[in-house]
Amino acid sequence: MKIVLRNNLILITTEFEELSIKWMQDFLNHHTRGMLFLSKSVLVFKNETLTKVRETFIRELSQYHADKYNLSHDFFLRSMLKYGNQPIKIELNKLQNPQIVKVNLYAYDKNTVLITLDYPNSWVMNYLRSQLEVYVERGTDISLVLEVSDNKAKARLERALNKRHILHYQIQYTYDNHFMSKLYSDFANFSFGDLCKVEEEELNTRFYTVLECPIGASQDALKKSYKKLAKVYHPDKIVHETPTMVKKYTQKFQLLQEAYTALRILS
């Protein structure tokens, strides 16, 4: 494990096995909501309600690092605590051979989706919860039942399922032949004459979804959400990541700008 204190974050480079240490797992499990999953790393943002959890983690991390490299714990801890408000990025030292995790999808109807894992996997489940928690009706360590009755929920589900890699896990989604027809059964009643109107309404709905705002949200709400998301997805935030990841963030940032501009004009 190596720790680098940068101006804007604490960078921890480690092996995957070290992520299973209890105090590391406790910290990550507490911060599921405030965690951004990248291609081979996770970025944990500060949560004001978890200040003590973060401080405990920093102390454990400092002690572990000092013991491993025979350093002065007190000196290193003081340095670490100065960065207590900064995001914490935990990345793998090297990518291991990807381990395939099967995630099964089943649609009861157009409003309800069941997600199951064959075996418990806290990383994959934490990722799914971080993306879909607002739509979770109930769940276990291997399953989630989602309420996806509106377009925003379905769009959020689509976006979550687009991600196929969590650290060194490769997600393989499986579903039966009726999954899509059940989930999007509303479209079966549309005629060709409705398509133009629907297309426009769907586009506007998609813009609200991109900005993570309810349909008809005020200009202030749109502006606030746009600024928040623009900070998260600005390409400069991940300048040291792979070109593919930088490209994805750039596309996301451009989409945010397009959505915000379009909805300002509509309003």
Side-chain angles (χ1 to χ4, degrees):
M1 178 185 290
K2 294 183 179 179
I3 302 173
V4 178
L5 304 178
R6 295 181 176 175
N7 290 333
N8 59 343
L9 60 79
I10 298 174
L11 174 62
I12 303 169
T13 306
T14 184
E15 302 293 337
F16 187 78
E17 290 74 15
E18 289 178 308
L19 296 181
S20 299
I21 299 174
K22 186 179 184 305
W23 50 265
M24 180 75 80
Q25 277 289 308
D26 288 344
F27 172 72
L28 294 171
N29 288 337
H30 272 99
H31 288 79
T32 300
R33 293 183 181 179
M35 195 183 300
L36 181 63
F37 289 80
L38 304 175
S39 58
K40 63 173 183 177
S41 62
V42 291
L43 189 61
V44 184
F45 297 98
K46 183 181 179 183
N47 185 325
E48 295 292 345
T49 65
L50 296 172
T51 301
K52 290 185 178 179
V53 174
R54 172 179 277 250
E55 183 175 335
T56 298
F57 169 73
I58 289 176
R59 291 182 181 277
E60 294 280 6
L61 176 66
S62 175
Q63 185 67 65
Y64 180 84
H65 187 264
D67 292 344
K68 188 170 184 176
Y69 294 100
N70 196 26
L71 301 173
S72 169
H73 175 236
D74 291 339
F75 173 78
F76 194 69
L77 177 60
R78 286 197 296 271
S79 300
M80 290 278 290
L81 291 175
K82 290 180 181 179
Y83 288 77
N85 293 328
Q86 300 299 332
I88 298 174
K89 184 179 182 181
I90 304 173
E91 68 178 16
L92 296 182
N93 187 37
K94 60 181 179 179
L95 284 178
Q96 302 178 0
N97 292 330
Q99 178 181 340
I100 295 177
V101 177
K102 290 187 177 181
V103 176
N104 310 301
L105 307 174
Y106 177 78
Y108 290 107
D109 51 40
K110 65 181 180 181
N111 300 321
T112 311
V113 169
L114 171 66
I115 300 178
T116 61
L117 278 63
D118 292 338
Y119 304 98
N121 186 303
S122 60
W123 284 106
V124 173
M125 188 57 69
N126 280 345
Y127 164 70
L128 292 171
R129 284 188 177 276
S130 72
Q131 299 299 303
L132 302 166
E133 187 170 19
V134 67
Y135 305 111
V136 174
E137 289 191 333
R138 59 186 182 277
T140 67
D141 60 343
I142 61 169
S143 68
L144 294 175
V145 176
L146 308 177
E147 194 277 320
V148 290
S149 57
D150 57 33
N151 290 328
K152 179 181 178 181
K154 287 182 172 64
R156 185 78 179 195
L157 176 62
E158 289 176 16
R159 184 168 61 185
L161 299 183
N162 279 335
K163 193 173 189 67
R164 300 301 177 95
H165 293 88
I166 305 295
L167 295 173
H168 80 287
Y169 294 114
Q170 181 178 337
I171 303 177
Q172 189 176 87
Y173 294 106
T174 65
Y175 48 89
D176 61 27
N177 294 333
H178 304 292
F179 178 75
M180 297 301 289
S181 60
K182 285 183 179 179
L183 192 60
Y184 295 99
S185 60
D186 281 345
F187 289 93
N189 299 322
F190 291 165
S191 65
F192 286 104
D194 297 323
L195 288 181
C196 291
K197 180 179 179 181
V198 170
E199 199 171 298
E200 181 179 356
E201 291 176 349
E202 285 294 314
L203 182 60
N204 293 339
T205 299
R206 176 72 76 174
F207 285 151
Y208 282 107
T209 301
V210 168
L211 293 172
E212 299 185 4
C213 287
I215 296 175
S218 67
Q219 281 294 307
D220 288 342
L222 292 171
K223 183 177 181 180
K224 182 178 179 180
S225 185
Y226 167 73
K227 287 186 174 181
K228 177 183 176 181
L229 292 170
K231 288 181 180 179
V232 172
Y233 289 101
H234 198 289
D236 290 346
K237 293 284 187 179
I238 57 164
V239 67
H240 299 295
E241 290 291 331
T242 63
T244 300
M245 184 59 65
V246 173
K247 181 180 178 180
K248 287 183 178 180
Y249 268 59
T250 301
Q251 291 173 340
K252 173 67 176 180
F253 185 72
Q254 291 172 343
L255 185 58
L256 285 168
Q257 292 179 312
E258 179 185 352
Y260 182 54
T261 301
L263 291 179
R264 285 183 65 188
I265 294 174
L266 286 175
S267 298

